[in-house]
Amino acid sequence: RGFRLSTLESRDVIMSSTFEDNSTLYRFLNCRILREGRLLDRDEALWVRGGRVQDPRQLFWDEKTKADVEINCGGLIASPGFIDLQINGAFGYDFTSDVGQVEKAVHSVAKAILQHGVTAFCPTVVSSLTSVYHKILPQIAAYKSSPDEARMLGTHLEGPFISRTKCGAHSEHAIWDSKDSQITYETVHHCYGSLDHVKIITVAPELPGMFEVIKQLTSGPHKIVVSLGHSEANLRIAEEAVQCGARFITHLFNAMLPFHHRDPGIVGLLTSHSLPEGCTVFYGIISDGVHTDPAALRIAHKACSAGAVLVTDAMAAMGLGTGVHRLGTQDIVLENRRAYIKGQQTLAGSIATMDSCVRHYWKESGCSIEEALEAATLHPAQVLGIDSDMGTLNFGSRADFILLDDSLCVQETYLGGVRVYPYQESK
């Protein structure tokens, strides 16, 4: 009934498939599938139909069917696609400053990051004026992902409710002035204009009124993930924020109090015993060889490997060359793989790609291949509570996956079982 293809032959056949094809049954064989924390033997195949991973036992025993198409993956690793929870822009586009072309920016980035294995992402907007949020967020809320682009999961709002002393590359003029008044849920809602399609908000928990805001954001109708970052919070304040519902840390070690043995600050959440029972505090970490020293990567991994979430924190300069680029309202100078605010030595967002972050984390943290991959797949899905659908290759999950070689270099990217990278060449 079926026919078999080599890896190279499979590319054009899979590209000729449509995203609406719900009947063709594909069997990806000779691959090592990442599932439940381990790489399976090559005799385990990945079965895909209707954009979902299928259970071969059900196919054999209940349906008594065979594959329509078999694809030989040549011994490559089959991993869920990467999920980037913090990306400010890339390839010349900035999600904050490109107010008039937000939809174009998201579409362009969503297409381009497929080559780096990213199949889902949260476009990140840095601290901005209220008028800017009211222009940008409705455009993102109305955005519809194309089937051949990485899935847009919702917005990550990084600011403006952050500390002025830990603002990093954020414009001080855009940071909320909370000196004279308590911040309330109404304050936050008014600032952003709408919370539709917002998935993550980064806040400094020490700001007045923020504990109650965290409670309402995380328990309200939008069930927003609150992340702690750009903050001067000590450990006690950070623990209280987690008690109120915060579950994520924005770029660990960066833009927060440095670790101190008498008060480890937000970093101390990785080993705190004063958290809700069964609570895992996930932490974003920029594994680009610039923002986080390898020794710090190893400390974080050994302290709480289950909480590691690799993020790029990429800016518009990602994929471009040396020069001046934009991050929100700031001019950013790119030199020697490092991005700085123009005229300063303050590090701005990174220019790293997600696949390079995964490789660096694997080589420098002392983790296994499986742990490196799960830090960019399963863990970010767990942060958003979508791990039953994405971030795994469990039966019933979306067939968004990538094929990698033993050096963790991306060879092919699939969305819903359809190959979207490498792109099909026109004949």
Side-chain angles (χ1 to χ4, degrees):
R1 174 186 172 185
F3 58 95
R4 180 173 297 193
L5 302 164
S6 69
T7 305
L8 291 176
E9 290 172 326
S10 74
R11 293 180 175 177
D12 289 339
V13 170
I14 300 301
M15 277 300 294
S16 67
S17 302
T18 66
F19 291 93
E20 292 77 26
D21 180 8
N22 293 316
S23 60
T24 303
L25 179 60
Y26 295 97
R27 179 177 178 235
F28 294 84
L29 52 89
N30 192 18
C31 58
R32 290 164 289 162
I33 303 168
L34 177 65
R35 183 176 289 153
E36 296 181 350
R38 66 188 185 95
L39 292 176
L40 305 182
D41 295 332
R42 294 188 187 187
D43 57 358
E44 296 280 349
L46 182 64
W47 296 75
V48 175
R49 183 175 61 192
R52 297 276 173 177
V53 178
Q54 302 295 312
D55 184 345
R57 296 167 298 183
Q58 181 179 349
L59 296 171
F60 181 78
W61 293 108
D62 296 347
E63 300 185 26
K64 296 180 174 55
T65 189
K66 294 182 180 180
D68 298 302
V69 181
E70 291 187 336
I71 300 98
N72 186 344
C73 297
L76 296 172
I77 295 170
S79 165
F82 299 144
I83 301 173
D84 194 350
L85 299 185
Q86 187 176 5
I87 175 170
N88 308 290
F91 306 100
Y93 292 99
D94 177 69
F95 299 134
T96 304
S97 64
D98 291 332
V99 177
Q101 56 175 356
V102 175
E103 184 175 359
K104 180 181 179 181
V106 177
H107 274 297
S108 299
V109 172
K111 185 75 172 180
I113 56 180
L114 293 171
Q115 64 188 291
H116 300 294
V118 179
T119 56
F121 69 110
C122 288
T124 303
V125 178
V126 299
S127 296
S128 302
L129 299 177
T130 295
S131 59
V132 174
Y133 289 120
H134 290 192
K135 293 176 182 177
I136 291 176
L137 296 186
Q139 295 181 64
I140 296 179
Y143 170 86
K144 302 295 182 184
S145 296
S146 297
D148 59 346
E149 297 174 353
R151 304 182 194 278
M152 197 279 286
L153 300 175
T155 312
H156 179 168
L157 299 176
E158 188 185 3
F161 303 100
I162 59 175
S163 168
R164 289 182 178 276
T165 60
K166 294 296 180 183
C167 65
H170 291 231
S171 170
E172 287 191 38
H173 300 293
I175 296 172
W176 195 268
D177 188 354
S178 58
K179 290 181 179 179
D180 302 322
S181 62
Q182 292 267 322
I183 298 172
T184 66
Y185 178 82
E186 289 69 28
T187 305
V188 173
H189 201 285
H190 170 74
C191 173
Y192 297 134
S194 172
L195 295 177
D196 293 340
H197 297 279
V198 172
K199 291 296 183 182
I200 306 172
I201 298 179
T202 293
V203 303
E206 70 272 18
L207 299 182
M210 191 53 70
F211 290 152
E212 184 60 31
V213 171
I214 292 172
K215 290 179 183 178
Q216 295 188 54
L217 287 173
T218 56
S219 64
H222 295 93
K223 296 292 189 294
I224 291 170
V225 174
V226 171
S227 186
L228 309 180
H230 288 279
S231 166
E232 287 191 304
N234 58 29
L235 179 56
R236 184 194 63 77
I237 292 175
E239 289 171 337
E240 181 64 25
V242 174
Q243 292 287 348
C244 292
R247 291 292 184 272
F248 194 39
I249 300 172
T250 296
H251 43 51
L252 186 72
F253 300 119
N254 288 273
M256 60 186 61
L257 292 179
F259 181 91
H260 189 279
H261 57 284
R262 283 192 289 274
D263 188 347
I266 291 176
V267 178
L269 291 175
L270 273 62
T271 57
S272 174
H273 288 167
S274 299
L275 305 181
E277 185 176 357
C279 170
T280 297
V281 176
F282 293 92
Y283 57 91
I285 194 161
I286 309 170
S287 175
D288 64 346
V290 175
H291 282 77
T292 312
D293 189 86
L297 290 178
R298 290 189 286 274
I299 289 171
H301 170 67
K302 290 182 181 299
C304 184
S305 60
V309 175
L310 299 184
V311 297
T312 61
D313 196 22
M315 51 170 285
M318 196 254 284
L320 303 179
T322 298
V324 179
H325 306 278
R326 298 290 288 176
L327 177 62
T329 60
Q330 302 276 42
D331 284 331
I332 306 299
V333 178
L334 176 60
E335 297 178 335
N336 301 320
R337 295 177 53 247
R338 295 172 183 259
Y340 299 99
I341 296 177
K342 187 176 182 180
Q344 302 181 26
Q345 291 300 306
T346 301
L347 275 176
S350 84
I351 58 168
T353 60
M354 182 59 83
D355 53 335
S356 67
C357 288
V358 171
R359 289 191 294 272
H360 185 75
Y361 187 67
W362 170 46
K363 293 176 181 177
E364 299 293 349
S365 73
C367 72
S368 65
I369 285 180
E370 293 89 340
E371 288 174 317
L373 292 173
E374 287 195 333
T377 57
L378 174 63
H379 297 176
Q382 289 175 327
V383 170
L384 297 183
I386 58 174
D387 50 301
S388 63
D389 193 49
M390 303 177 68
T392 76
L393 291 178
N394 294 338
F395 304 138
S397 64
R398 289 182 183 271
D400 297 348
F401 65 94
I402 54 179
L403 298 178
L404 309 102
D405 62 22
D406 287 346
S407 298
L408 300 186
C409 294
V410 176
Q411 304 299 306
E412 298 188 4
T413 302
Y414 291 79
L415 287 173
V418 178
R419 189 180 69 82
V420 290
Y421 172 80
Y423 312 113
Q424 185 179 28
E425 296 181 3
S426 58
K427 296 182 180 180

mmCIF file of all heavy atoms in Angstrom, residues 3 51 73 93 101-102 123 129 147 152 206 251 254 257 261 282 288 301 303 319 326 339 400 420:
data_model
loop_
_atom_site.group_PDB
_atom_site.id
_atom_site.type_symbol
_atom_site.label_atom_id
_atom_site.label_comp_id
_atom_site.label_asym_id
_atom_site.label_seq_id
_atom_site.Cartn_x
_atom_site.Cartn_y
_atom_site.Cartn_z
ATOM 1 N N PHE A 3 4.762 3.522 0.204
ATOM 2 C CA PHE A 3 6.037 3.522 -0.480
ATOM 3 C C PHE A 3 7.063 4.207 0.398
ATOM 4 O O PHE A 3 6.728 4.995 1.282
ATOM 5 C CB PHE A 3 5.943 4.208 -1.855
ATOM 6 C CG PHE A 3 5.472 5.623 -1.837
ATOM 7 C CD1 PHE A 3 6.379 6.670 -1.825
ATOM 8 C CD2 PHE A 3 4.104 5.916 -1.844
ATOM 9 C CE1 PHE A 3 5.945 7.979 -1.826
ATOM 10 C CE2 PHE A 3 3.666 7.235 -1.850
ATOM 11 C CZ PHE A 3 4.591 8.267 -1.841
ATOM 12 N N GLY A 51 -1.635 16.065 11.062
ATOM 13 C CA GLY A 51 -0.883 17.053 11.833
ATOM 14 C C GLY A 51 -0.578 16.646 13.259
ATOM 15 O O GLY A 51 -0.034 17.450 14.023
ATOM 16 N N CYS A 73 14.865 8.704 7.939
ATOM 17 C CA CYS A 73 15.469 9.916 8.499
ATOM 18 C C CYS A 73 16.982 9.818 8.668
ATOM 19 O O CYS A 73 17.607 10.733 9.217
ATOM 20 C CB CYS A 73 14.819 10.247 9.849
ATOM 21 S SG CYS A 73 13.060 10.612 9.732
ATOM 22 N N TYR A 93 13.735 43.283 11.998
ATOM 23 C CA TYR A 93 12.425 43.682 12.520
ATOM 24 C C TYR A 93 12.464 43.738 14.044
ATOM 25 O O TYR A 93 13.034 42.859 14.696
ATOM 26 C CB TYR A 93 11.348 42.692 12.081
ATOM 27 C CG TYR A 93 11.080 42.723 10.595
ATOM 28 C CD1 TYR A 93 11.652 41.788 9.750
ATOM 29 C CD2 TYR A 93 10.250 43.694 10.052
ATOM 30 C CE1 TYR A 93 11.408 41.807 8.381
ATOM 31 C CE2 TYR A 93 9.992 43.724 8.672
ATOM 32 C CZ TYR A 93 10.574 42.784 7.856
ATOM 33 O OH TYR A 93 10.329 42.814 6.506
ATOM 34 N N GLN A 101 4.209 48.402 11.231
ATOM 35 C CA GLN A 101 4.279 47.158 10.461
ATOM 36 C C GLN A 101 4.482 45.951 11.369
ATOM 37 O O GLN A 101 5.265 45.053 11.077
ATOM 38 C CB GLN A 101 5.402 47.240 9.428
ATOM 39 C CG GLN A 101 6.780 47.562 9.995
ATOM 40 C CD GLN A 101 7.861 47.515 8.921
ATOM 41 O OE1 GLN A 101 7.624 47.176 7.771
ATOM 42 N NE2 GLN A 101 9.080 47.832 9.326
ATOM 43 N N VAL A 102 3.736 45.917 12.457
ATOM 44 C CA VAL A 102 3.872 44.821 13.412
ATOM 45 C C VAL A 102 3.515 43.482 12.764
ATOM 46 O O VAL A 102 4.218 42.480 12.940
ATOM 47 C CB VAL A 102 2.991 45.056 14.657
ATOM 48 C CG1 VAL A 102 3.037 43.850 15.580
ATOM 49 C CG2 VAL A 102 3.434 46.308 15.389
ATOM 50 N N PRO A 123 6.351 36.770 20.630
ATOM 51 C CA PRO A 123 6.966 38.061 20.313
ATOM 52 C C PRO A 123 6.979 38.936 21.559
ATOM 53 O O PRO A 123 5.968 39.043 22.260
ATOM 54 C CB PRO A 123 6.053 38.639 19.223
ATOM 55 C CG PRO A 123 4.776 37.888 19.330
ATOM 56 C CD PRO A 123 5.121 36.540 19.855
ATOM 57 N N LEU A 129 5.653 53.390 26.030
ATOM 58 C CA LEU A 129 4.611 54.292 26.480
ATOM 59 C C LEU A 129 3.246 53.657 26.238
ATOM 60 O O LEU A 129 3.082 52.810 25.360
ATOM 61 C CB LEU A 129 4.711 55.621 25.743
ATOM 62 C CG LEU A 129 6.020 56.407 25.933
ATOM 63 C CD1 LEU A 129 5.996 57.674 25.078
ATOM 64 C CD2 LEU A 129 6.254 56.742 27.395
ATOM 65 N N PRO A 147 0.160 28.647 8.003
ATOM 66 C CA PRO A 147 0.531 27.264 8.347
ATOM 67 C C PRO A 147 1.985 26.926 8.091
ATOM 68 O O PRO A 147 2.487 25.945 8.637
ATOM 69 C CB PRO A 147 -0.400 26.424 7.463
ATOM 70 C CG PRO A 147 -0.839 27.335 6.363
ATOM 71 C CD PRO A 147 -0.874 28.692 6.956
ATOM 72 N N MET A 152 2.650 31.649 16.509
ATOM 73 C CA MET A 152 2.719 32.760 17.450
ATOM 74 C C MET A 152 1.808 32.427 18.629
ATOM 75 O O MET A 152 0.602 32.301 18.483
ATOM 76 C CB MET A 152 2.286 34.058 16.765
ATOM 77 C CG MET A 152 2.702 35.325 17.509
ATOM 78 S SD MET A 152 1.604 35.751 18.883
ATOM 79 C CE MET A 152 0.171 36.355 17.986
ATOM 80 N N GLU A 206 8.927 44.008 43.688
ATOM 81 C CA GLU A 206 9.086 44.925 44.820
ATOM 82 C C GLU A 206 8.295 46.220 44.635
ATOM 83 O O GLU A 206 8.176 47.013 45.577
ATOM 84 C CB GLU A 206 10.571 45.258 45.025
ATOM 85 C CG GLU A 206 11.226 46.133 43.956
ATOM 86 C CD GLU A 206 11.794 45.348 42.796
ATOM 87 O OE1 GLU A 206 11.393 44.170 42.626
ATOM 88 O OE2 GLU A 206 12.638 45.888 42.055
ATOM 89 N N HIS A 251 15.308 36.067 32.042
ATOM 90 C CA HIS A 251 16.769 35.974 31.843
ATOM 91 C C HIS A 251 17.549 35.980 33.177
ATOM 92 O O HIS A 251 18.117 36.988 33.586
ATOM 93 C CB HIS A 251 17.311 37.015 30.863
ATOM 94 C CG HIS A 251 16.812 38.409 30.973
ATOM 95 N ND1 HIS A 251 16.790 39.128 32.139
ATOM 96 C CD2 HIS A 251 16.327 39.243 30.023
ATOM 97 C CE1 HIS A 251 16.336 40.331 31.923
ATOM 98 N NE2 HIS A 251 16.033 40.429 30.634
ATOM 99 N N ASN A 254 20.666 38.145 34.747
ATOM 100 C CA ASN A 254 20.738 39.450 34.089
ATOM 101 C C ASN A 254 19.640 40.367 34.608
ATOM 102 O O ASN A 254 18.486 39.963 34.760
ATOM 103 C CB ASN A 254 20.602 39.289 32.576
ATOM 104 C CG ASN A 254 21.842 38.675 31.949
ATOM 105 O OD1 ASN A 254 22.795 39.367 31.593
ATOM 106 N ND2 ASN A 254 21.838 37.351 31.826
ATOM 107 N N LEU A 257 19.470 41.600 41.177
ATOM 108 C CA LEU A 257 20.548 41.656 42.161
ATOM 109 C C LEU A 257 21.464 40.461 42.000
ATOM 110 O O LEU A 257 21.000 39.328 41.806
ATOM 111 C CB LEU A 257 19.968 41.666 43.580
ATOM 112 C CG LEU A 257 19.196 42.920 44.010
ATOM 113 C CD1 LEU A 257 18.677 42.737 45.432
ATOM 114 C CD2 LEU A 257 20.071 44.162 43.908
ATOM 115 N N HIS A 261 25.634 35.551 49.456
ATOM 116 C CA HIS A 261 25.423 34.395 50.322
ATOM 117 C C HIS A 261 24.438 34.657 51.457
ATOM 118 O O HIS A 261 23.848 33.721 51.997
ATOM 119 C CB HIS A 261 26.754 33.906 50.904
ATOM 120 C CG HIS A 261 27.510 34.949 51.673
ATOM 121 N ND1 HIS A 261 28.208 35.952 51.047
ATOM 122 C CD2 HIS A 261 27.678 35.137 53.005
ATOM 123 C CE1 HIS A 261 28.778 36.713 51.963
ATOM 124 N NE2 HIS A 261 28.477 36.250 53.157
ATOM 125 N N PHE A 282 10.249 28.133 36.889
ATOM 126 C CA PHE A 282 11.054 28.052 35.676
ATOM 127 C C PHE A 282 11.850 29.344 35.504
ATOM 128 O O PHE A 282 11.448 30.401 35.990
ATOM 129 C CB PHE A 282 10.154 27.831 34.462
ATOM 130 C CG PHE A 282 9.475 26.493 34.444
ATOM 131 C CD1 PHE A 282 8.207 26.325 35.000
ATOM 132 C CD2 PHE A 282 10.104 25.393 33.886
ATOM 133 C CE1 PHE A 282 7.584 25.092 34.986
ATOM 134 C CE2 PHE A 282 9.489 24.147 33.866
ATOM 135 C CZ PHE A 282 8.224 23.995 34.428
ATOM 136 N N ASP A 288 24.081 32.242 25.292
ATOM 137 C CA ASP A 288 24.682 32.721 24.043
ATOM 138 C C ASP A 288 26.186 32.928 24.137
ATOM 139 O O ASP A 288 26.808 33.386 23.176
ATOM 140 C CB ASP A 288 24.014 34.024 23.601
ATOM 141 C CG ASP A 288 24.243 35.175 24.583
ATOM 142 O OD1 ASP A 288 24.692 34.914 25.718
ATOM 143 O OD2 ASP A 288 23.952 36.334 24.209
ATOM 144 N N HIS A 301 22.077 24.873 36.115
ATOM 145 C CA HIS A 301 21.697 23.510 35.729
ATOM 146 C C HIS A 301 21.744 22.560 36.914
ATOM 147 O O HIS A 301 20.827 21.753 37.125
ATOM 148 C CB HIS A 301 22.625 23.006 34.621
ATOM 149 C CG HIS A 301 22.467 21.548 34.327
ATOM 150 N ND1 HIS A 301 21.326 21.015 33.781
ATOM 151 C CD2 HIS A 301 23.309 20.498 34.547
ATOM 152 C CE1 HIS A 301 21.467 19.703 33.651
ATOM 153 N NE2 HIS A 301 22.654 19.369 34.112
ATOM 154 N N ALA A 303 21.550 23.355 40.067
ATOM 155 C CA ALA A 303 20.603 23.758 41.107
ATOM 156 C C ALA A 303 19.177 23.350 40.756
ATOM 157 O O ALA A 303 18.412 22.913 41.628
ATOM 158 C CB ALA A 303 20.673 25.269 41.326
ATOM 159 N N GLY A 319 20.687 37.754 12.837
ATOM 160 C CA GLY A 319 20.678 37.423 11.415
ATOM 161 C C GLY A 319 21.261 38.516 10.538
ATOM 162 O O GLY A 319 21.330 38.348 9.315
ATOM 163 N N ARG A 326 17.859 48.637 16.133
ATOM 164 C CA ARG A 326 16.895 49.185 17.077
ATOM 165 C C ARG A 326 16.413 48.126 18.060
ATOM 166 O O ARG A 326 16.264 46.956 17.744
ATOM 167 C CB ARG A 326 15.676 49.741 16.337
ATOM 168 C CG ARG A 326 15.971 50.870 15.387
ATOM 169 C CD ARG A 326 16.357 52.140 16.104
ATOM 170 N NE ARG A 326 15.232 52.772 16.773
ATOM 171 C CZ ARG A 326 15.352 53.854 17.533
ATOM 172 N NH1 ARG A 326 16.536 54.399 17.735
ATOM 173 N NH2 ARG A 326 14.281 54.393 18.102
ATOM 174 N N ALA A 339 25.875 43.091 21.565
ATOM 175 C CA ALA A 339 25.006 44.231 21.278
ATOM 176 C C ALA A 339 24.966 45.148 22.493
ATOM 177 O O ALA A 339 24.641 44.722 23.602
ATOM 178 C CB ALA A 339 23.598 43.736 20.936
ATOM 179 N N ASP A 400 4.839 19.047 15.362
ATOM 180 C CA ASP A 400 5.805 20.115 15.111
ATOM 181 C C ASP A 400 7.150 19.604 15.607
ATOM 182 O O ASP A 400 7.371 19.517 16.826
ATOM 183 C CB ASP A 400 5.421 21.389 15.865
ATOM 184 C CG ASP A 400 4.093 21.972 15.407
ATOM 185 O OD1 ASP A 400 3.570 21.533 14.368
ATOM 186 O OD2 ASP A 400 3.576 22.871 16.102
ATOM 187 N N VAL A 420 8.729 22.384 6.430
ATOM 188 C CA VAL A 420 8.732 23.818 6.134
ATOM 189 C C VAL A 420 10.146 24.389 6.053
ATOM 190 O O VAL A 420 10.329 25.555 5.695
ATOM 191 C CB VAL A 420 7.910 24.591 7.191
ATOM 192 C CG1 VAL A 420 6.422 24.286 7.037
ATOM 193 C CG2 VAL A 420 8.374 24.263 8.619
#
